[in-house]
Amino acid sequence: MRKVLISLARMGWFRAALIVGGMTVAGVAVATAQGPAAPSGVQKVRFGGDRTETRVVIDLDRAAAGKLLSDGASDQRLVLALPNITISGDLQGSGQGLVKHWLIDEAAGGARLRLELAGKVEVRRRFLLPPGDGATAYRYVIDLKAVDGGAAPATSQAAPRLSMVSAPIKAAPLRLKKVIVIDAGHGGKDSGALGANAFEKDVTLATAKALKARLEKTGRYQVVLTRETDTFVPLEGRVQIARRADADLFISLHADSGPDVTTRGASVYTLSEKGADRVGLVLDKNDWLMKANLPGRDRAVSQILLDLSQRATKNRSATFAQLLLANVGEETALLRRSHRDAGFFVLLAPDVPAVLLEMGFITNPEDEAFLTNKASRARLVDAVGDSIEAYFSSDVRKS
């Protein structure tokens, strides 16, 4: 079997993914597709227990190896990745016991479960149950327990009876916010390009702050800035900020420069094929996308899963880039070849859709005036904000 997978790895990854789709290897289960593939996904979310102990059960139509991205210790928001699970639109509902609300949305390479917790909680265990004992679905189980008085104590000392209750899908009005990371290029000792009257680092920071305010005003986004002052942040640190925040989208803001002062126009960069080969630079040895040394896990399988995640992320990055250019082009000039690809370090995260926006040439008098004027910069910010809104609309996310 290992020889088969290695031969697949030498093929085009797309063809390899189609073949691997019919196998279950080294604990990585993938449903077999015969004829038109049925959409895989979440069938039901169920809860049992009380505010001392709560069990969460996610019914799936295929096996999934979950990865705990955040245990909720810092912000009472538990986040779990479910690679290889797709959904059609966001699913959400009310919880029970230690869970107030839940949301399952799309993430690179699969689905993502977010639980809004009722207090301080520890994850006691997680496991997958195959179909059996009358159950026709795979069941991913998460057992939660209240800690340090984080939730109301049970009135009885007896162990809680876990009678499972199905949670109505899309019943709750509350939506957990999308996480947007905005990277103001350069900063501190790195001033970036120099215009006639402004440094690039100052233009990017002012734009990042204005975009943050624009997005937060809607109440639909949690916005993280890689820097909020004139400080230097290493490139690898900017990527890790996005990954630690479990970002849904990463936008790096820059201002271009060139020897010809007549050159002007905005452009958008997404990750190139050569840049994708450098993804290991931003993954540590404990990353779920790179764990090839687990018992029974074949390195070829891990590489295929990593490549599938990268391709899904690159496709989403390209989708957002097109939306961004369409809106930004209404407010300022674009370069003739406005969608470009490169191996910029800030674009390397394999699981976060990312673009680098060159807002114009700071070495061009017209572009510099546009970027340093508060009113015209606000129009640019609105164009970027409109692009983000369009990207997260249901029609675009399902495409």
Side-chain angles (χ1 to χ4, degrees):
M1 180 61 72
R2 189 174 188 277
K3 290 182 179 179
V4 173
L5 284 171
I6 291 175
S7 66
L8 292 177
R10 290 171 178 166
M11 297 180 185
W13 285 114
F14 179 73
R15 291 177 57 206
L18 294 179
I19 297 173
V20 172
M23 301 181 179
T24 301
V25 184
V28 180
V30 186
T32 302
Q34 298 179 348
S40 61
V42 177
Q43 297 180 347
K44 190 184 300 182
V45 179
R46 297 178 287 142
F47 296 87
D50 54 24
R51 287 176 65 86
T52 300
E53 294 186 4
T54 300
R55 169 165 288 184
V56 184
V57 179
I58 310 164
D59 289 357
L60 305 170
D61 66 357
R62 61 173 59 186
K67 167 64 179 178
L68 190 64
L69 303 178
S70 172
D71 62 5
S74 61
D75 58 1
Q76 297 182 7
R77 294 261 175 110
L78 184 149
V79 182
L80 178 85
L82 292 168
N84 200 41
I85 298 295
T86 59
I87 60 172
S88 56
D90 296 349
L91 308 176
Q92 59 181 317
S94 299
Q96 177 181 321
L98 296 170
V99 179
K100 294 166 64 177
H101 303 280
W102 62 272
L103 169 71
I104 299 178
D105 61 359
E106 291 179 289
R112 173 176 50 197
L113 169 71
R114 306 192 197 197
L115 300 178
E116 183 176 354
L117 304 173
K120 294 182 179 179
V121 170
E122 69 174 356
V123 180
R124 297 193 65 187
R125 58 178 181 162
R126 298 179 289 117
F127 54 94
L128 180 72
L129 292 174
D133 298 327
T136 59
Y138 287 90
R139 290 150 291 165
Y140 194 91
V141 180
I142 307 170
D143 284 339
L144 306 174
K145 182 179 180 180
V147 295
D148 298 331
T155 55
S156 170
Q157 296 301 315
R161 183 166 175 254
L162 296 178
S163 57
M164 302 308 296
V165 177
S166 296
I169 288 179
K170 295 185 179 178
L174 177 67
R175 292 179 59 88
L176 299 183
K177 298 177 180 180
K178 298 293 184 182
V179 179
I180 313 296
V181 173
I182 305 172
D183 173 41
H186 306 282
K189 63 183 181 181
D190 177 12
S191 60
L194 175 63
N197 303 295
F199 286 113
E200 180 183 2
K201 67 175 183 178
D202 297 326
V203 170
T204 60
L205 183 58
T207 308
K209 287 182 175 181
L211 180 57
K212 180 177 188 288
R214 157 73 165 79
L215 294 173
E216 289 181 337
K217 195 174 183 180
T218 69
R220 290 187 289 274
Y221 303 99
Q222 175 187 342
V223 182
V224 178
L225 297 183
T226 58
R227 66 181 182 97
E228 299 190 42
T229 59
D230 184 18
T231 54
F232 174 75
V233 180
L235 294 176
E236 60 271 22
R238 298 169 191 255
V239 180
Q240 294 305 332
I241 288 171
R243 301 197 74 222
R244 285 196 299 267
D246 191 26
D248 295 287
L249 188 63
F250 177 90
I251 307 171
S252 187
L253 301 176
H254 288 261
D256 219 333
S257 63
D260 185 353
V261 296
T262 64
T263 302
R264 64 174 307 215
S267 60
V268 175
Y269 285 86
T270 52
L271 187 63
S272 66
E273 289 293 339
K274 288 185 178 180
D277 294 337
R278 302 166 58 215
V279 68
L281 296 174
V282 300
L283 298 180
D284 62 47
K285 63 183 179 180
N286 295 315
D287 198 284
W288 74 275
L289 287 167
M290 292 296 286
K291 282 185 176 177
N293 58 346
L294 294 178
R297 174 63 60 83
D298 192 289
R299 185 176 296 274
V301 175
S302 294
Q303 183 59 45
I304 288 173
L305 294 178
L306 172 61
D307 188 78
L308 291 175
S309 178
Q310 283 181 270
R311 288 194 176 277
T313 301
K314 286 182 65 179
N315 289 340
R316 290 175 180 170
S317 299
T319 296
F320 178 66
Q322 293 301 317
L323 290 169
L324 192 56
L325 287 169
N327 285 289
V328 170
E330 295 291 325
E331 300 298 336
T332 188
L334 298 177
L335 283 177
R336 179 173 299 178
R337 188 168 65 87
S338 53
H339 187 181
R340 305 181 172 207
D341 58 6
F344 293 135
F345 202 101
V346 292
L347 302 177
L348 290 183
D351 48 355
V352 181
V355 301
L356 186 148
L357 171 62
E358 294 280 10
M359 300 178 289
F361 278 72
I362 200 169
T363 48
N364 173 268
E366 292 178 83
D367 278 359
E368 182 183 21
F370 179 83
L371 293 173
T372 54
N373 178 271
K374 188 175 181 179
S376 56
R377 190 169 60 227
R379 298 201 307 272
L380 175 66
V381 165
D382 281 338
V384 178
D386 291 344
S387 303
I388 293 171
E389 297 278 5
Y391 174 72
F392 286 112
S393 70
S394 58
D395 288 342
V396 171
R397 298 295 283 170
K398 290 177 184 178
S399 62

